[in-house]
Amino acid sequence: TNADELKRAAAAKALGEVRSGMRLGLGTGSTAWHFVDLLGEKVRNGFDVLCVPTSEVTAEQARSNGIPLSDLDTLDRLDLTVDGADEIDPALNLIKGGGGALLREKIVAAASAEMIVIADASKVVPALGRFPLPVEVNRFGLGATRRAVRRVLDRHGAQGELRLRGEETGQAFVTDGGHLILDAFFGRISQPEALSKDLLDIPGVVQHGLFLGMCSKAYIATPNGVERLLK
Ligand code: DER
């Protein structure tokens, strides 16, 4: 089984939790892509769902699959969000944002009664922080914000650098929300809750990729089958 088949197997398990009539949040990334693809097949066979996408990319994929879309102005609560993750620790705390959709993903997950993460086994880690932590920042005052984030990283023992996503290509990445992303290379995050608070206290920081206490179930695909992790 190759990585893509593993992702699809995890997505299929999450789809098994979806009931007709549900209001769903649709995640972003290569694993969530399979969930949306499989959901499309069920919709075409008469499955009745109403979905809120976590990115323009997912919205486009959902539309092309005939999946009915709504938004969080119309709906205030969703039953379930299914999304991927860059890292998953034993408490099911996550790092997300590798695909740049973390703000809408967190807004949608927070509006959902339950969040299920789907991933291949490479995402399961003993502690968060080997994957760089995405920090979504407002363009205005970027220099001041970047220096403030650097000070927080130093206080929290970050081992590595703070990179503006896309800088290496000469073209900064811009999120669906019109913001920029700083990727913080930690190595290991020892106090995620304190780090989350310190980052969100910086005025120019919009949000970050630590999803703490939000995920209650994960389907992890391994070559020997899909494992279910519960918080
Ligand atoms: O950017 C994101 O938050 C994605 O969900 C990411 O965390 C997982 O993407 P992948 O399924 O392509 O690895």
Side-chain angles (χ1 to χ4, degrees), residues 38-51:
L38 292 167
L39 180 66
E41 285 172 29
K42 299 203 75 163
V43 165
R44 287 191 291 281
N45 295 330
F47 218 53
D48 161 38
V49 290
L50 199 47
C51 300

Side-chain angles (χ1 to χ4, degrees), residues 5-15 31 118-119 219-221 226:
E5 287 164 352
L6 291 175
K7 293 177 181 186
R8 198 162 180 93
K13 280 288 184 185
L15 188 64
T31 312
I118 53 178
Y219 283 109
I220 307 298
V226 179

Side-chain angles (χ1 to χ4, degrees), residues 80-85 87-96 105-106 109-110 112-119 210-220 228-231:
L80 171 63
T81 283
V82 177
D83 203 347
E87 284 189 338
I88 307 163
D89 82 1
L92 299 190
N93 289 321
L94 316 171
I95 285 185
K96 284 177 58 53
E105 289 173 331
K106 197 179 276 190
S112 304
E114 185 180 14
M115 178 189 194
I116 293 179
V117 160
I118 53 178
L210 285 169
F211 284 53
L212 307 176
M214 299 184 79
C215 170
S216 55
K217 187 181 293 179
Y219 283 109
I220 307 298
R228 189 180 65 171
L229 304 182
L230 299 174
K231 194 161 79 171

Side-chain angles (χ1 to χ4, degrees), residues 136-146 178-180 202-206:
E136 185 154 343
V137 295
N138 196 290
R139 290 165 172 272
F140 178 79
L142 178 63
T145 299
R146 191 170 184 164
H179 306 126
L180 304 176
I202 301 169
V205 170
V206 178

Side-chain angles (χ1 to χ4, degrees), residues 115-153:
M115 178 189 194
I116 293 179
V117 160
I118 53 178
D120 62 80
S122 69
K123 306 302 184 61
V124 178
V125 295
L128 299 176
R130 263 190 306 214
F131 188 90
L133 176 64
V135 181
E136 185 154 343
V137 295
N138 196 290
R139 290 165 172 272
F140 178 79
L142 178 63
T145 299
R146 191 170 184 164
R147 284 188 294 275
V149 172
R150 178 75 259 173
R151 286 193 295 274
V152 166
L153 264 54

